[in-house]
Amino acid sequence: MEGHNLAESPTYKLSTTPEGIVDSLLDHFNSRDIETMLGFYEDDAVVISTSGEPKRGKIAIAHELQQSFGFGLPIEIVARNIYSTDNLASLVLHWRITGTGNNGEKVNIAGTSSDYVKKGRDGYWRCWFGNPFGVQVRSLF
């Protein structure tokens, strides 16, 4: 995206600004390639699973990604809030995956995530805590 100083591979870019992180996420996720998407995460990143359990590290995250990528559909993202300091940023993102999945069934999944990204020593921003259903109440008790 022009003006956001995206760097790295011309196809799957990591951002050098918090504002460019959404474009980076879209590039990585919509590749629908696990290895490509894992490049968007810190090595010790945590992702909260659909059941509400924390999954740490790229192997556990890869398992979670397989579920989302299994539909064979792209993701749409609208940034609601991006708050940043020198090397940390909090993101509230509304996302949606819709269409006809690989199995021929209709898919309509959406959520509002609460994610955290940090700027690495190399100057690129990567996810270190992803909570795709971050604002969803999972249980009242």
Side-chain angles (χ1 to χ4, degrees):
M1 183 170 163
E2 190 175 326
H4 287 292
N5 196 19
L6 295 174
E8 274 208 356
S9 125
T11 306
Y12 307 110
K13 305 168 180 98
L14 291 173
S15 180
T16 58
T17 67
E19 297 81 12
I21 200 77
V22 172
D23 288 336
S24 178
L25 174 56
L26 282 165
D27 285 346
H28 284 76
F29 189 95
N30 288 336
S31 75
R32 292 187 287 259
D33 179 78
I34 299 284
E35 288 301 316
T36 297
M37 187 63 198
L38 289 175
F40 182 76
Y41 291 95
E42 289 286 325
D43 289 338
D44 63 344
V46 173
V47 169
I48 305 301
S49 71
T50 55
S51 64
E53 298 175 50
K55 304 293 182 176
R56 179 179 296 274
K58 290 190 175 185
I59 293 173
I61 292 171
H63 177 72
E64 293 300 311
L65 290 172
Q66 286 175 331
Q67 294 176 27
S68 296
F69 288 177
F71 299 117
L73 296 169
I75 193 168
E76 300 169 15
I77 299 174
V78 174
R80 297 294 184 208
N81 293 302
I82 299 176
Y83 300 108
S84 64
T85 62
D86 295 334
N87 63 349
L88 297 173
S90 167
L91 312 172
V92 177
L93 309 174
H94 183 71
W95 60 270
R96 169 181 287 201
I97 300 172
T98 59
T100 302
N102 287 335
N103 63 1
E105 293 184 23
K106 295 286 184 193
V107 175
N108 186 12
I109 303 170
T112 301
S113 69
S114 175
D115 303 320
Y116 298 91
V117 295
K118 68 179 181 177
K119 184 178 181 179
R121 291 182 184 199
D122 61 2
Y124 297 122
W125 290 78
R126 293 178 182 87
C127 184
W128 62 273
F129 188 89
N131 189 356
F133 295 96
V135 299
Q136 176 181 332
V137 176
R138 295 188 197 281
S139 172
L140 298 176
F141 304 99

